[in-house]
Amino acid sequence: MHSHDYRCPEPFAGQSVLLLGAGLSGLDIAQELSAVTSPVTLSHSQAPLRSLLPRGMLEAPGVQRVLGDGALELGDGSLVRPDVFMFCTGYKFTFPFLEPGELGLQLRSHMVSPLYKHLLHTAFPSLSIVGLCRAICPFPHFHCQFALSVLDGSFTLPSREQMDREVDTEIRRLLDSGVPLRHVLKLDAEQWDYNDQLAALGNFPALPPYWRSLYQANKEFRATDLLNYKRYNYQQLNVKQRLAARVERLRRRGSDSDGSVRS
């Protein structure tokens, strides 16, 4: 089965499950399943996870092939026979409510084109597809995708020819830098410049910088504390609060055991 069809862990109770892929879906589902069944094996080809794992959750090399008797051959040559084999390997774009051929919409290798700023069809700019990009801070990112600025006339689009040139130039830049076509929509660290570009084009305020800090902190905590990171709480501080918090940290760092403050 594919992670697309997963809804909740309870139906898998008492079964052994192997998940292929250690992205966000694989990590989340494996952690949920470990609460109701064992073993739950996370099969992937990345570096070993740095975090403590839930009881009953294991790591294994990536699946190389499925044998005729249903066994799975892993990267180290070992064989496993889980009750459930779940693909957590990403998604392919489909638009059954559109006619991609008539629109000239190309779907290939996790890429959709031609879309200006990964958003607006260059030939039919009233068609916007929000939320295609991956490895992003989702809702602030969606907020910046400026389709409304185009629709209400506050932003005038370039000509179709210019938009097509910009799309081709950007894809070529990424491919020349070694980014595979299937990862062109994976922004990660580039999402902040992208969001700022949209804000400038749409003439609306850019995202506050704390979103970047929050995204990076959450990414690191997920890697090092998988069991607890979703329970972390964050507070947005204004300038005075940040200064006061910094002074307090310095005070505590400089305090002697008797509570006095070093000069």
Side-chain angles (χ1 to χ4, degrees):
M1 64 180 292
H2 192 278
S3 58
H4 177 271
D5 300 310
Y6 173 88
R7 292 295 178 270
C8 59
E10 287 75 17
F12 301 90
Q15 303 183 74
S16 59
V17 183
L18 184 141
L19 304 94
L20 178 60
L24 298 185
S25 294
L27 290 173
D28 281 350
I29 295 173
Q31 190 171 0
E32 289 187 6
L33 289 173
S34 67
V36 301
T37 192
S38 176
V40 176
T41 304
L42 194 64
S43 169
H44 63 93
S45 301
Q46 304 176 24
L49 299 177
R50 292 184 284 152
S51 172
L52 182 68
L53 301 180
R55 181 178 300 174
M57 179 174 162
L58 310 172
E59 285 188 88
V63 174
Q64 299 303 303
R65 58 180 179 151
V66 180
L67 304 181
D69 62 355
L72 307 177
E73 181 181 336
L74 304 183
D76 59 2
S78 62
L79 301 179
V80 294
R81 291 177 171 80
D83 298 317
V84 179
F85 179 27
M86 188 183 301
F87 288 87
C88 302
T89 49
Y91 302 84
K92 292 182 179 179
F93 293 116
T94 60
F95 300 99
F97 47 86
L98 297 174
E99 291 290 343
E102 292 183 14
L103 292 172
L105 201 62
Q106 301 176 38
L107 313 177
R108 54 197 173 104
S109 190
H110 300 278
M111 179 67 187
V112 183
S113 62
L115 296 181
Y116 181 62
K117 301 300 182 184
H118 304 313
L119 178 65
L120 300 170
H121 196 308
T122 59
F124 303 97
S126 62
L127 171 61
S128 59
I129 306 179
V130 175
L132 288 177
C133 298
R134 298 183 293 119
I136 53 163
C137 194
F139 289 101
H141 173 86
F142 304 154
H143 166 78
C144 288
Q145 292 197 306
F146 62 110
L148 291 180
S149 298
V150 175
L151 295 177
D152 70 12
S154 57
F155 172 68
T156 302
L157 286 169
S159 67
R160 176 183 177 181
E161 291 74 18
Q162 183 177 340
M163 289 192 289
D164 282 333
R165 281 197 302 271
E166 288 191 33
V167 170
D168 292 341
T169 299
E170 176 63 10
I171 293 176
R172 190 162 52 248
R173 177 186 73 83
L174 293 169
L175 296 178
D176 290 346
S177 67
V179 175
L181 184 64
R182 68 181 184 275
H183 289 329
V184 164
L185 290 173
K186 186 177 181 180
L187 297 187
D188 201 17
E190 291 198 353
Q191 67 181 292
W192 314 111
D193 287 341
Y194 170 84
N195 292 338
D196 288 346
Q197 289 176 27
L198 296 189
L201 291 171
N203 195 30
F204 56 83
L207 289 178
Y210 64 75
W211 279 114
R212 181 172 189 162
S213 301
L214 179 61
Y215 177 86
Q216 291 302 126
N218 187 68
K219 186 176 179 180
E220 177 62 23
F221 291 143
R222 182 173 61 243
T224 56
D225 192 10
L226 183 64
L227 298 179
N228 301 300
Y229 82 99
K230 288 187 178 182
R231 291 193 288 268
Y232 290 3
N233 292 312
Y234 301 86
Q235 181 180 2
Q236 177 189 348
L237 303 178
N238 61 33
V239 174
K240 289 184 178 180
Q241 289 172 316
R242 289 200 301 269
L243 288 174
R246 184 178 181 187
V247 169
E248 178 63 16
R249 286 197 300 272
L250 291 172
R251 189 192 68 79
R252 291 180 179 178
R253 190 180 305 165
S255 295
D256 290 320
S257 59
D258 62 357
S260 61
V261 179
R262 298 191 187 98
S263 58

